Amino acid sequence: MRIIDNSPIDLPAVGTFLSTATPVWQLELNRIYVLSHASDELKAEAREVGAHLEKTLADQTYLNLHRTVVLDESVDCDDQEHLSEALSGDSYDLVMPMARPSRDDFQYLFAKGEKGRMLNILASMCSTAERVTRESLIEAIIKALQSDPEGTLKILSPAFESMEFKENLVTSGLTLSLIKPSFGALPSAGMLGVAAGVVAGVVPELVKNLSKFFGINPDDTEIQKNNKIYSQLDRIQEFQNEYPQDDIASVVHPMLGNLPGEYMMKVVAESCKGTPDSYKYFDPTYYAKKSPLKLKVVKREEKADYFNIHGRRHTDGKYVLFMEKEGKDEHVHFSQRAYFIVYLIYLLDRKTRKDKVTPIHLKDEELLYKSLYDVVYPRDGQRDSSYFSLTSKVDRDGKLKRTPKFKDALKGIYECIKKSCLTIDEFEGTHYIHNSQSHLYTLPDNIIIHRDVEEIAKKCKKV
């Protein structure tokens, strides 16, 4: 059994951490991406091992959704040189974005795949992601408790009564919760040292703090200690006037580590008042279930009042896309007509197939693309050339393209969706397509498409 000989919030079990101030738009949280330049043998093994891991983990409870995705296209990160080099160079062929809601930057775990060792490597990456996310959630909860103990405890109260929390207390104990193993990996040596130090009395200051803060006696059992701590969490602000925040955090931290993950995420989201910013560190599927936003494809004439005021752009066809949230409407302006047609194909697929969606291959959707183009932009004359541009690997002169146009379309869609989401105060991660292997996460019930457009799609599928 492999020992993770480091502290997981600072160093990974495998590979290297790199951070950036802005997220990489093509990469979703909690996915292990096999980069496009990896060897075919490594990609094949990663697919097989990734499917096995996903199936194995499906019956267990984890903070993150762990999936392995083999990318067909390169990843763009031109504004972050150190990240761009890692994504395109030979040093790494695996990357996984970390979910860290207590931190302001964005962290990526890079690793080098090895044939025959992919199970060990991918499992170690998942283990690192779990540890990092749990540690970060605990940090965020402590901050929430310190700033708003009453409101935070209101959210946490059901968690303290849950069977999972009580079982965790019994099995881990106050100090041993620091060293719970995961994914078949042993705890870090750093964590073992801290826990051993507490048990052996090598860290007497922590024992003194326990007694000061919560009236804990030396003879108390681990369960009694925990009971005293969480029954007095509402006094954290009072403690802050007397003791350093780091001391308080060191006492509360181990006990909070036993909380069920769903409550941890709820505290972090609600402590940010449900703003879009509070969800950017979560898997898009998590926010999709909470988002009130509706994506509506309507006839332009139905929004005549809007266009009379704001005017019409060259990409506004017979049908247009609006975002609707809490009584507000926001028109999504696509920079190119082809981008709207591509997005429309994804909307129709998500609404029709619901959770059974799979990656869309535009080469298989020629009839649908051209039929939609004809009805949205009749007599445009650019239908065939736009489809050729999106799907062909060569240009009109037969020369190999440097960059596939389909990836350009996805990036263009991202920029349009992000701009509209910012205006309407919405988290964009749920409503755009991250890469060619991804899809929309908007709930099907929140997608409303004009019946005429839906009929066209139905006819194309029957052909």
Side-chain angles (χ1 to χ4, degrees):
M1 192 176 287
R2 182 164 134 76
I3 294 179
I4 302 171
D5 193 15
N6 47 56
S7 178
I9 195 67
D10 298 316
L11 295 171
V14 65
T16 303
F17 279 142
L18 291 177
S19 298
T20 177
T22 55
V24 180
W25 71 273
Q26 288 168 273
L27 304 181
E28 300 174 59
L29 289 176
N30 310 319
R31 275 57 168 174
I32 298 176
Y33 288 100
V34 184
L35 297 172
S36 59
H37 61 256
S39 68
D40 290 340
E41 292 83 0
L42 196 70
K43 288 178 179 178
E45 186 175 343
R47 281 194 182 97
E48 182 180 350
V49 170
H52 169 73
L53 269 179
E54 188 174 341
K55 185 177 180 180
T56 302
L57 302 179
D59 297 329
Q60 303 176 45
T61 302
Y62 292 101
L63 291 167
N64 301 307
L65 294 173
H66 299 286
R67 296 172 183 164
T68 302
V69 178
V70 178
L71 289 175
D72 294 328
E73 70 268 31
S74 60
V75 179
D76 295 329
C77 191
D78 297 335
D79 57 337
Q80 304 284 342
E81 187 175 341
H82 68 297
L83 213 60
S84 181
E85 185 177 335
L87 287 164
S88 59
D90 297 329
S91 299
Y92 309 105
D93 37 38
L94 301 169
V95 61
M96 185 180 193
M98 300 286 103
R100 303 193 308 162
S102 64
R103 308 295 176 91
D104 293 329
D105 60 348
F106 296 85
Q107 190 178 61
Y108 297 85
L109 173 58
F110 285 86
K112 184 71 175 176
E114 296 178 41
K115 191 177 179 181
R117 293 193 63 242
M118 292 305 289
L119 179 59
N120 186 23
I121 293 170
L122 297 188
S124 295
M125 293 179 78
C126 292
S127 175
T128 297
E130 283 295 299
R131 290 171 178 270
V132 166
T133 299
R134 181 168 290 275
E135 182 76 14
S136 185
L137 284 169
I138 293 170
E139 288 180 358
I141 291 171
I142 291 172
K143 290 177 184 177
L145 280 167
Q146 290 170 335
S147 61
D148 179 20
E150 184 178 348
T152 305
L153 285 171
K154 187 176 181 180
I155 302 170
L156 284 177
S157 292
F160 292 133
E161 299 302 320
S162 69
M163 186 58 66
E164 183 179 347
F165 178 70
K166 293 174 180 177
E167 287 176 352
N168 287 344
L169 291 182
V170 173
T171 56
S172 67
L174 176 63
T175 54
L176 296 184
S177 68
L178 282 167
I179 57 172
K180 287 197 298 184
S182 61
F183 288 90
L186 287 176
S188 72
M191 284 190 166
L192 285 168
V194 171
V198 173
V199 174
V202 179
V203 193
E205 197 61 33
L206 181 57
V207 178
K208 289 180 183 178
N209 289 344
L210 288 171
S211 179
K212 282 181 185 178
F213 295 166
F214 301 107
I216 290 174
N217 300 314
D219 297 332
D220 285 343
T221 64
E222 298 301 333
I223 295 177
Q224 287 173 327
K225 290 176 184 177
N226 279 288
N227 284 333
K228 289 183 177 180
I229 290 175
Y230 76 71
S231 66
Q232 299 180 75
L233 283 176
D234 58 343
R235 297 179 60 206
I236 274 193
Q237 282 187 328
E238 175 188 331
F239 295 144
Q240 286 181 149
N241 297 328
E242 301 181 44
Y243 308 106
Q245 287 194 8
D246 287 347
D247 284 357
I248 299 171
S250 69
V251 175
V252 174
H253 182 290
M255 187 271 295
L256 292 178
N258 293 304
L259 286 169
E262 62 183 290
Y263 288 99
M264 287 185 167
M265 292 188 282
K266 187 175 181 181
V267 168
V268 174
E270 295 197 15
S271 66
C272 296
K273 309 304 180 188
T275 60
D277 196 53
S278 65
Y279 294 102
K280 65 185 178 184
Y281 302 100
F282 294 136
D283 192 287
T285 54
Y286 179 80
Y287 179 67
K289 297 173 183 176
K290 300 176 178 297
S291 173
L293 182 131
K294 295 187 183 299
L295 294 172
K296 303 179 74 172
V297 176
V298 299
K299 271 190 174 180
R300 191 180 71 247
E301 62 191 43
E302 294 174 15
K303 295 287 185 178
D305 291 344
Y306 174 90
F307 288 102
N308 287 338
I309 296 171
H310 299 280
R312 178 188 169 194
R313 301 188 184 185
H314 76 284
T315 55
D316 297 331
K318 186 176 178 181
Y319 297 87
V320 290
L321 177 67
F322 273 78
M323 291 180 175
E324 186 180 279
K325 180 181 179 182
E326 297 169 350
K328 297 179 182 177
D329 277 357
E330 174 64 21
H331 178 215
V332 181
H333 295 286
F334 289 92
S335 55
Q336 291 192 31
R337 294 181 173 186
Y339 297 174
F340 179 38
I341 302 302
V342 170
Y343 194 70
L344 195 49
I345 290 173
Y346 277 92
L347 284 174
L348 286 160
D349 194 54
R350 175 67 167 144
K351 184 170 179 62
T352 304
R353 301 182 65 197
K354 304 185 185 301
D355 291 334
K356 295 181 180 179
V357 293
T358 55
I360 289 177
H361 301 288
L362 208 57
K363 270 190 169 295
D364 300 330
E365 304 293 346
E366 181 175 1
L367 177 60
L368 179 58
Y369 179 93
K370 292 182 177 180
S371 298
L372 290 172
Y373 201 104
D374 283 342
V375 74
V376 177
Y377 303 112
R379 299 178 299 279
D380 169 86
Q382 300 298 314
R383 183 197 69 177
D384 291 351
S385 61
S386 69
Y387 179 77
F388 177 86
S389 179
L390 286 169
T391 57
S392 178
K393 293 182 179 180
V394 297
D395 59 23
R396 290 291 184 183
D397 297 326
K399 295 180 180 178
L400 191 67
K401 293 178 183 175
R402 184 179 64 85
T403 305
K405 286 292 184 180
F406 183 67
K407 189 174 81 171
D408 293 342
L410 294 186
K411 186 173 184 180
I413 289 169
Y414 159 71
E415 290 169 347
C416 299
I417 294 296
K418 182 179 180 181
K419 184 177 180 180
S420 295
C421 283
L422 186 64
T423 303
I424 206 168
D425 195 26
E426 173 74 359
F427 170 56
E428 76 274 5
T430 297
H431 308 297
Y432 75 90
I433 307 103
H434 291 74
N435 52 70
S436 63
Q437 300 303 304
S438 185
H439 211 291
L440 293 171
Y441 293 98
T442 312
L443 294 184
D445 289 345
N446 287 342
I447 298 173
I448 301 166
I449 300 174
H450 194 281
R451 61 182 179 277
D452 292 349
V453 176
E454 286 191 322
E455 282 301 316
I456 291 167
K458 289 177 183 177
K459 289 179 182 177
C460 291
K461 294 300 180 184
K462 290 179 181 178
V463 175

